[in-house]
Amino acid sequence: MDDYQLQTMTLEAFADTIIPGEKRAPDDRAIAGVSDGGGAVAAGAIELLEWDATGVSEGLGPLSAALNGHATAYAHEFGLTLDESVPPFVALAFPDRTALVERLTTPGHPEKDGWVLLALFSNMAYDSAAHMSTTDAIEQGHPGLLAMGFAKPESDGLWRFPKYSYGRVLAKSHPDTTESGSLA
C-alpha cells in the first residue's frame, strides 16, 4: 500500500468515526459499518478534504501521520494489539476510534484545532455536499441530503417553495419590498 492509500484509508476511518456509515464491501476496513446507509465517506468527505478550496489539502499527509501516531500510542496505553496490515487508526475498533477522536478534540488538547477542522469537513460533506453542486448531489443520491429530506428541484432545475416550511408566514414583508423580493 502506498502513502496515498494509507492516508486515504486513515482519513476515511476518521470521517467514518464522525458520521458512521455502512461498509462498502465485507472486507472494508476503513468503514467500521456501525450504521446503516451512507455516512461521511459515502457523502464525499475525502473529495471535500482533498479539494484545494478547503485550504487543508496540503496538510492531510501530516494530519494522517499524526493520527496514526496517536492511534499507536493509544493502543500501547490500553494494551491493544494492532493489525499491521492497515494503518494504526484503521486497526482500532470503532469504540476505540471514537474514544481517541474525543480525546483529540477535547478543549485543551494542543492539536485540537486540526482535528476539529477534519471533523467539521466530514460533517460538511454529509450535511451540505459542499464539494459538488446540489443538483448533482441529489441526482447521485447523496446520503446526507437524502437523510435530511432535501427537496428536489422542479423540472426546470429551480427550487421553489409554494408552501411555507412551518405552514405559515413567519414575518410580514417590509412595506418597501418590491414584487421581486428586493427592497426599493
Side-chain angles (χ1 to χ4, degrees), residues 24 42 69 81 117 126 133 159:
R24 297 166 286 197
T81 302
L117 196 59
Y126 187 82
S133 86
W159 278 268

Side-chain angles (χ1 to χ4, degrees), residues 43-70:
I46 301 305
E47 291 86 350
L48 180 59
L49 287 168
E50 291 179 343
W51 185 24
D52 61 353
T54 63
V56 299
S57 58
E58 294 296 319
L60 295 177
L63 280 169
S64 173
L67 183 57
N68 283 318
H70 286 294

Side-chain angles (χ1 to χ4, degrees), residues 150-170:
F150 202 87
K152 292 182 179 183
E154 293 183 15
S155 60
D156 62 0
L158 298 176
W159 278 268
R160 293 182 185 85
F161 303 94
K163 294 182 181 178
Y164 300 104
S165 62
Y166 291 96
R168 63 186 177 90
V169 177
L170 298 180

Side-chain angles (χ1 to χ4, degrees), residues 16-165:
D16 182 66
T17 304
I18 303 304
I19 301 182
E22 63 189 17
K23 288 181 175 283
R24 297 166 286 197
D27 63 344
D28 191 346
R29 296 290 304 274
I31 310 301
V34 298
S35 293
D36 293 332
V41 175
I46 301 305
E47 291 86 350
L48 180 59
L49 287 168
E50 291 179 343
W51 185 24
D52 61 353
T54 63
V56 299
S57 58
E58 294 296 319
L60 295 177
L63 280 169
S64 173
L67 183 57
N68 283 318
H70 286 294
T72 300
Y74 178 93
H76 180 73
E77 178 183 345
F78 290 98
L80 304 174
T81 302
L82 298 177
D83 177 354
E84 294 182 13
S85 69
V86 294
F89 187 76
V90 176
L92 292 175
F94 187 76
D96 294 310
R97 290 180 187 180
T98 303
L100 178 55
V101 169
E102 181 179 357
R103 208 183 255 195
L104 296 173
T105 58
T106 296
H109 190 281
E111 300 168 13
K112 178 185 142 229
D113 292 349
W115 306 119
V116 168
L117 196 59
L118 283 183
L120 288 172
F121 280 118
S122 297
N123 275 303
M124 189 183 296
Y126 187 82
D127 291 345
S128 67
H131 57 294
M132 59 193 313
S133 86
T134 304
T135 304
D136 290 346
I138 290 172
E139 286 176 6
Q140 295 172 22
H142 186 275
L145 297 182
L146 286 176
M148 288 187 282
F150 202 87
K152 292 182 179 183
E154 293 183 15
S155 60
D156 62 0
L158 298 176
W159 278 268
R160 293 182 185 85
F161 303 94
K163 294 182 181 178
Y164 300 104
S165 62

